[in-house]
Amino acid sequence: MIKTIATTPYTDQKMGTGGLRKKTKVMMQPNYFENFIQSIFNTIGDLRGKVFIVGGDGRFFNDIAIQKFIKMAAANGVAKLIIGQNGFVSTPAGSNILLKNHTDGGFVFSASHNPGGENGDFGVKYANATGGQVPTSITDKIYQISKEIKEFKIYESDDIDISKIGTQKLGDMIIEVIDPIKDYVEMMEKIFDFEALKQLFKKGFTMRFDAMNAVTGPYAIRIFEEILGAAKGSVVHAQPLPDFGGLHPDPNLVYAKELVDFMYSDQAADFGAANDGDGDRNMILGKKFFVTPSDSLAILTDNYKLIPAYANGIYGVGKSAATSTAVARVAKAHNIGYYEVPTGWKYFVNLMDSNRITFCGEESFGTGSSHIREKDGIWAVLFWLSIIAKTGKSVEEITKEHWGKYGRSYYMRFDFEGISTEVGDTLMKDLENKLPSLKDKTFEGFTIEKAAPFIYNDPVDHSTTQNGLIVYFTDGSRIVYRLSGTGSSGATIRVYLERYSLKDLNQDPRDMLQNLSKAAMIIAEIPERTGKHQADVVT
Ligand code: G16
């Protein structure tokens, strides 16, 4: 039976860079989740005939959220839901299922790389028929509606069994439970040369993949161990757990510490990688060697011809403004299109749909291609393994050869976390106001050539977005300042540093960027305004 429930609005349901992300306990407040889902449904309008895909990364509250979602979809007239078995689907697999089935949209319940559990975070990622997260014009509309919502509709029924593959009905709505891994594997087999990868492992190549107790564990076991023949046990933390076993599933040098320690030990495997909570981020490591996400994007792009799906040519490449300029040099050398967009994968979607780009990436450990409309952690790992298989070189050799050819962008990111929203906003506003006056000034030996907000004019829908502030120095170095859009409370200030060198290729980034980091602190008055003399997280 369909019930209409009266509700009162919450006023904080504004989506950030990766959907709506909140503390799990905030999401679990009475009607909070229901209000938000109904706001999306109301934004879409007539739901008759509509088909959506739904799943999550298995974090705490995922099971409850999925049941609520199913019942609300049925009550709101949705024609069909395609659901990952047991309510699990990675973000890239979800985008693939969405596109393959020509569905009208997709919902992935995940706060991505943010910790999970009752005291962690929960989130909703909402994609439309493009397969990518909805543009700001739509998230703004959802937010408006969420502030006025008075009722939601829900089907009164027992919970639906989503543990078995097959089709069933709730009211008039069809529910199809699928194996999300099967479709994903098929897609990867079409892109990469799996035979070459099998040969690589046959020769005794070793890898360690850290799934961080999150959604990619079963995908990684199936692909790396069962299909490609990596040794059993190559995938660690493979069991998705509601609290990720206490791990913070952010694949970077700080949070994937166990993997990093292993890869820097004498027992290290030939190759190391980690994915985040919902499987769209990746970190790449060699033996005692770390590849920055910015370099990874540049290296993958430079080697596109080694991959069957791209061997006939690629359109171009995109990167977020905060990502280093390494890939710009590759794009120039290959004479392909090059686009710099605001942070947020959704900005790549128009560029992919209009055949302007094939590859894209962000400094925040995201790399992907137009095979779907989300970043894809396992895709990036398979791409790296393919380069290794085809060249016979190690991660370190591949990366160092790349620097030898193009020069090196030394790059680091400093995160200042747990800052009040007011302090964060004021710091950015005041810095923006003083940018014009910074021209020609010198800080710690670096002279400013130009300082301006980053403004993006979308070549497809002609929308304009401002995101972050960029300081350009006369030697080609850059500092980018921006507020994170993925936190669940307070503000995080991110400071991105880049210094380019054509000849000096084997320095420690911390040494190369020491003075620039001092300049960054002074320019934005970070200690004075935040009380912090050093960053909380450095990657
Ligand atoms: C989300 C977006 C990414 C973006 C990231 C930025 O990632 O999908 O495109 O790079 O947020 O995070 P922040 O605003 O905190 O710097 P994810 O993996 O969290 O969905």
Side-chain angles (χ1 to χ4, degrees):
M1 198 182 80
I2 296 169
K3 277 188 105 180
T4 301
I5 313 272
T7 189
T8 42
Y10 290 89
T11 53
D12 64 343
Q13 299 193 325
K14 193 173 167 60
M15 292 160 92
T17 350
L20 184 71
R21 245 165 244 190
K22 296 286 171 195
K23 288 278 161 220
T24 310
K25 282 187 175 152
V26 171
M27 281 281 188
M28 290 170 74
Q29 292 175 96
N31 299 348
Y32 190 95
F33 176 81
E34 289 88 337
N35 279 7
F36 183 63
I37 297 300
Q38 189 67 51
S39 302
I40 296 179
F41 284 165
N42 291 357
T43 306
I44 299 168
D46 188 359
L47 291 165
R48 282 172 303 175
K50 295 267 190 286
V51 181
F52 297 114
I53 105 114
V54 62
D57 64 6
R59 67 180 64 219
F60 188 88
F61 192 55
N62 189 36
D63 47 353
I64 297 170
I66 286 187
Q67 292 295 336
K68 285 181 192 283
F69 185 87
I70 295 171
K71 292 170 194 172
M72 286 185 68
N76 277 276
V78 169
K80 180 176 172 183
L81 290 183
I82 302 174
I83 305 181
Q85 192 175 14
N86 292 316
F88 282 66
V89 72
S90 75
T91 291
S95 183
N96 176 42
I97 298 162
L98 194 165
L99 291 168
K100 194 177 157 190
N101 294 282
H102 306 286
T103 66
D104 299 288
F107 296 79
V108 174
F109 300 140
S110 169
S112 190
H113 56 287
N114 295 25
E118 196 172 359
N119 296 313
D121 294 349
F122 191 82
V124 177
K125 286 184 171 185
Y126 165 47
N128 59 14
T130 64
Q133 289 179 47
V134 289
T136 314
S137 54
I138 296 181
T139 59
D140 285 349
K141 200 167 164 203
I142 296 167
Y143 180 45
Q144 280 317 319
I145 291 182
S146 77
K147 288 192 286 189
E148 290 151 16
I149 194 136
K150 291 196 178 66
E151 57 185 38
F152 64 86
K153 283 194 184 136
I154 191 152
Y155 207 98
E156 229 185 10
S157 88
D158 290 339
D159 280 357
I160 307 299
D161 181 2
I162 51 172
S163 67
K164 285 180 208 73
I165 289 166
T167 302
Q168 54 196 305
K169 267 188 135 185
L170 179 62
D172 291 333
M173 184 178 77
I174 299 166
I175 301 169
E176 187 186 353
V177 177
I178 59 154
D179 171 1
I181 303 178
K182 191 171 150 276
D183 283 357
Y184 184 80
V185 172
E186 277 170 21
M187 171 173 61
M188 291 298 123
E189 280 172 334
K190 281 189 197 136
I191 298 174
F192 299 102
D193 180 351
F194 267 38
E195 284 314 310
L197 294 172
K198 284 180 192 168
Q199 288 307 320
L200 179 71
F201 287 108
K202 253 199 189 131
K203 283 186 237 152
F205 185 83
T206 56
M207 78 178 279
R208 179 169 286 194
F209 180 94
D210 194 336
M212 304 190 84
N213 292 327
V215 78
T216 51
Y219 294 78
I221 296 246
R222 177 98 54 105
I223 294 175
F224 301 122
E225 295 188 10
E226 292 173 5
I227 300 178
L228 298 178
K232 227 175 169 333
S234 299
V235 180
V236 297
H237 297 130
Q239 172 74 32
L241 299 172
D243 65 348
F244 306 124
L247 295 179
H248 183 155
D250 195 356
N252 62 33
L253 293 172
V254 175
Y255 295 121
K257 191 173 177 310
E258 200 180 303
L259 175 73
V260 175
D261 287 349
F262 172 71
M263 289 303 294
Y264 277 80
S265 76
D266 292 338
Q267 285 74 46
D270 296 318
F271 178 84
N275 272 191
D276 72 334
D278 60 333
D280 55 2
R281 297 183 177 211
N282 74 92
M283 174 170 67
I284 303 294
L285 298 162
K287 271 192 174 143
K288 302 188 184 184
F289 196 82
F290 163 67
V291 185
T292 68
S294 298
D295 276 346
S296 181
L297 174 64
I299 291 166
L300 299 189
T301 306
D302 199 34
N303 286 289
Y304 74 84
K305 286 190 181 137
L306 300 180
I307 309 300
Y310 312 116
N312 291 333
I314 54 172
Y315 289 117
V317 62
K319 73 160 192 83
S320 66
T323 304
S324 96
T325 53
V327 76
R329 295 185 282 277
V330 176
K332 199 168 169 212
H334 288 275
N335 197 21
I336 54 172
Y338 167 71
Y339 296 84
E340 198 173 40
V341 307
T343 293
W345 208 259
K346 60 188 172 189
Y347 297 103
F348 295 128
V349 172
N350 279 345
L351 300 176
M352 290 193 255
D353 284 347
S354 59
N355 290 341
R356 284 175 165 83
I357 62 169
T358 302
F359 294 157
C360 39
E362 299 183 307
E363 53 65 42
S364 53
F365 295 82
T367 1
S369 93
S370 54
H371 64 289
I372 50 168
R373 296 295 181 270
E374 288 278 5
K375 50 194 188 267
D376 189 341
I378 287 183
W379 172 89
V381 173
L382 287 168
F383 202 141
W384 265 96
L385 289 173
S386 303
I387 300 175
I388 294 166
K390 303 259 160 145
T391 62
K393 290 177 184 151
S394 70
V395 173
E396 181 169 353
E397 285 164 343
I398 293 164
T399 308
K400 288 193 167 166
E401 271 182 25
H402 184 86
W403 294 338
K405 197 160 142 196
Y406 291 103
R408 178 173 179 188
S409 280
Y410 287 90
Y411 186 87
M412 284 174 92
R413 183 175 106 182
F414 291 74
D415 297 337
F416 299 86
E417 297 182 339
I419 291 167
S420 78
T421 314
E422 200 196 334
V423 169
D425 287 345
T426 314
L427 183 148
M428 290 298 285
K429 196 85 239 127
D430 290 352
L431 180 58
E432 183 176 343
N433 289 337
K434 82 173 185 188
L435 289 179
S437 70
L438 291 174
K439 191 174 158 27
D440 298 328
K441 291 217 168 90
T442 301
F443 296 86
E444 303 294 313
F446 291 88
T447 304
I448 295 176
E449 187 172 278
K450 185 183 144 195
F454 175 71
I455 294 169
Y456 177 63
N457 297 309
D458 188 303
V460 180
D461 66 20
H462 305 293
S463 60
T464 300
T465 307
Q466 178 175 328
N467 188 261
L469 309 170
I470 311 188
V471 181
Y472 303 87
F473 296 88
T474 49
D475 72 336
S477 297
R478 304 189 317 158
I479 301 175
V480 181
Y481 298 91
R482 60 177 282 279
L483 293 172
S484 159
T486 57
S488 56
S489 57
T492 293
I493 299 169
R494 300 209 197 282
V495 181
Y496 312 81
L497 307 176
E498 175 180 1
R499 185 173 167 200
Y500 176 63
S501 177
L502 189 55
K503 290 204 180 73
D504 213 359
L505 304 176
N506 292 304
Q507 300 303 314
D508 186 329
R510 284 167 298 192
D511 296 335
M512 287 297 277
L513 295 168
Q514 197 182 20
N515 288 341
L516 198 59
S517 71
K518 282 187 195 151
M521 298 292 276
I522 299 167
I523 292 169
E525 300 163 17
I526 290 176
E528 297 83 340
R529 288 167 179 270
T530 67
K532 288 178 189 269
H533 292 268
Q534 57 191 38
D536 299 282
V537 178
V538 179
T539 48

